[in-house]
Each structure stands twice: as C-alpha cells, then as structure tokens.
Amino acid sequence: MKKTQITDLSMDELKQILSEVMNECMNTNGSSDSDIIGIDEVCKMTGMSKHTIYKKTSNREIPFYKSTLGRRSVLRFVRSEIRTWILRHRIGTVDEFLEEQDGV
C-alpha cells in the first residue's frame, strides 16, 4: 500500500481504511489472551445466558467495551479479562476454609 497523506483522502476513503484496519484487528489470530470477542463467546465461556450477560454489563459487574462506530452499539469483550473475571469469583474448598479459620 503506497503512503498517502491523510489530507489527500476523502471521508469515504478514510472510513474504508479504518474499517479494514478494524477488521484486521478483530480477525488477528494472535495470542488467544488478547482476542476481542462478542457476547456469544462470553456466554460459552461463562455458561451464562445472553440476558444475564446484558444485565451484568448494565450493572457494570463484568468488564466490557461498547463499540459505537456504527449506527448501533455493539458489546465487545477481551477474552483474558473475562477469564480473569471468572477466576476472581472462585469458591474456596472446605480445607482452605478450615485453614483460614485456624489462622485467625
């Protein structure tokens, strides 16, 4: 792709370039920890319904991003952030609970 100054481009050309760059970013098969995913993938990872995920985003209980580039907003998530969020809600074992009680 030849270098072009931004001032030489029309708005439609700029939109097209931005769209291509965003698609490349969304489709990059880099590290799975940096994948940007949609609500369907979050549902698979968590076992929760779409309704529950929407409710958690509305209450700001789960990390998310809102893309407002188009006419409607789209929820996006980062795979590693969802994985961390899931692990943060770990329930300890009975042995861990008893050890904690002995330490107090």
Side-chain angles (χ1 to χ4, degrees):
M1 180 182 198
K2 76 174 193 173
K3 289 188 176 183
T4 307
Q5 290 196 2
I6 292 176
T7 55
D8 295 339
L9 299 174
S10 70
M11 284 302 276
D12 288 335
E13 291 171 320
L14 282 173
K15 286 179 183 178
Q16 179 64 33
I17 291 169
L18 283 173
S19 177
E20 289 172 9
V21 169
M22 287 176 51
N23 284 335
E24 283 180 32
C25 289
M26 295 293 285
N27 295 329
T28 300
N29 291 327
S31 168
S32 64
D33 282 345
S34 64
D35 285 345
I36 296 172
I37 58 176
I39 193 164
D40 291 329
E41 185 67 22
V42 174
C43 291
K44 287 179 191 173
M45 288 177 70
T46 63
M48 297 177 186
S49 69
K50 281 186 180 183
H51 173 77
T52 301
I53 299 298
Y54 282 126
K55 193 171 185 179
K56 289 192 176 298
T57 58
S58 178
N59 293 333
R60 297 177 185 261
E61 296 174 14
I62 189 170
F64 71 98
Y65 300 85
K66 195 179 238 185
S67 170
T68 56
L69 294 175
R71 291 184 180 207
R72 62 185 189 127
S73 62
V74 178
L75 293 178
R76 295 289 180 221
F77 305 84
V78 176
R79 185 183 306 277
S80 62
E81 291 177 354
I82 299 302
R83 187 176 294 127
T84 300
W85 178 80
I86 292 169
L87 295 175
R88 201 173 339 133
H89 294 87
R90 180 180 179 273
I91 306 297
T93 65
V94 171
D95 289 338
E96 290 170 337
F97 176 76
L98 293 174
E99 286 176 13
E100 187 178 294
Q101 297 303 311
D102 290 339
V104 172

